[in-house]
């Protein structure tokens, strides 16, 4: 490998690391023991027991009223769920998954002859500029990308999330 090629490879690798480095942060504060979402207030709280560590304005499913029941209804679920996965390569910047549907959600949808849907996440806005006043997701909970960076660092898999009407 020539000296020029080697330098180009090293520079390219360092550039890639620098670009990725800005997306992830570390958090060493109190553990987030629960996430709470108040749909009517468009607010999400990261809590350590009863103490609010962070509060965010959120955007929800494009049909915000009522709980998610069926695939494609555009609603955000309501009830107790858990964070169950992470996606560092999300089309919406970063995302953490919510374990919707649970057994009751699947049973209700099946009784209606429909599918419950799935792939519900807390995620960023992605690469589009969005106004704060409009709900636009397909049932997910969205925060600004810079806020999602903090949420991604603070909220661990297994954390309960309570979503209220």
């Amino acid at each position: 490998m020539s000296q020029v090629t080697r330098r180009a490879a090293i520079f390219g690798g360092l550039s890639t690391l620098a670009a990725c480095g800005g997306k992830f942060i570390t958090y060493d504060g109190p553990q987030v023991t629960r996430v709470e979402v108040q749909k009517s207030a468009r607010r999400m709280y990261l809590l350590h027991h009863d103490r609010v560590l962070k509060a965010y304005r959120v955007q929800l499913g494009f049909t915000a009223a009522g709980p998610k029941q069926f695939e494609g209804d555009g609603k955000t679920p309501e009830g107790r769920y858990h964070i169950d996965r992470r996606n560092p390569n999300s089309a919406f910047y970063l995302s953490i998954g919510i374990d919707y549907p649970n057994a009751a959600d699947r049973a209700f949808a099946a009784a209606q002859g429909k599918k419950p849907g799935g792939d519900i996440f807390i995620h960023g806005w992605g690469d589009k500029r969005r106004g704060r006043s409009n709900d636009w997701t397909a049932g997910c909970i969205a925060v600004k990308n810079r806020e999602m960076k903090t949420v991604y660092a603070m909220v661990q898999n297994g954390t309960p999330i309570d979503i209220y009407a």
Side-chain angles (χ1 to χ4, degrees):
M1 182 182 284
S2 75
Q3 189 70 8
V4 173
T5 305
R6 184 174 296 130
R7 283 186 186 150
I10 290 170
F11 179 75
L14 290 174
S15 296
T16 300
L17 284 174
C20 291
K23 191 173 182 179
F24 301 101
I25 62 171
T26 57
Y27 172 73
D28 62 358
Q31 176 188 10
V32 174
T33 56
R34 186 170 67 91
V35 176
E36 181 176 305
V37 176
Q38 296 286 340
K39 288 173 57 174
S40 61
R42 302 297 188 278
R43 300 289 287 178
M44 178 174 71
Y45 303 95
L46 307 185
L47 299 132
H48 176 72
H49 302 294
D50 292 333
R51 191 175 98 209
V52 175
L53 299 173
K54 294 281 186 179
Y56 300 101
R57 290 181 61 198
V58 298
Q59 293 167 315
L60 305 169
F62 60 84
T63 307
K68 180 161 197 62
Q69 296 176 313
F70 310 116
E71 184 174 63
D73 65 9
K75 296 180 180 184
T76 301
E78 294 174 6
R80 169 149 287 190
Y81 298 94
H82 292 84
I83 302 303
D84 69 345
R85 61 200 181 280
R86 312 174 83 64
N87 184 357
N89 300 311
S90 171
F92 298 100
Y93 190 64
L94 295 169
S95 63
I96 56 176
I98 298 171
D99 68 350
Y100 174 90
N102 61 28
D105 298 320
R106 286 189 297 276
F108 178 80
Q112 306 301 311
K114 297 185 177 186
K115 295 179 183 178
D119 286 336
I120 302 297
F121 289 85
I122 301 170
H123 60 66
W125 286 5
D127 59 4
K128 290 188 178 181
R129 293 187 60 90
R130 302 179 191 276
R132 271 287 192 194
S133 62
N134 297 326
D135 290 322
W136 57 272
T137 76
C140 296
I141 300 159
V143 296
K144 290 181 178 180
N145 290 351
R146 72 171 184 268
E147 296 167 339
M148 189 60 214
K149 187 186 304 191
T150 303
V151 172
Y152 194 88
M154 291 179 71
V155 178
Q156 300 304 308
N157 288 3
T159 303
I161 176 169
D162 293 313
I163 306 170
Y164 299 103

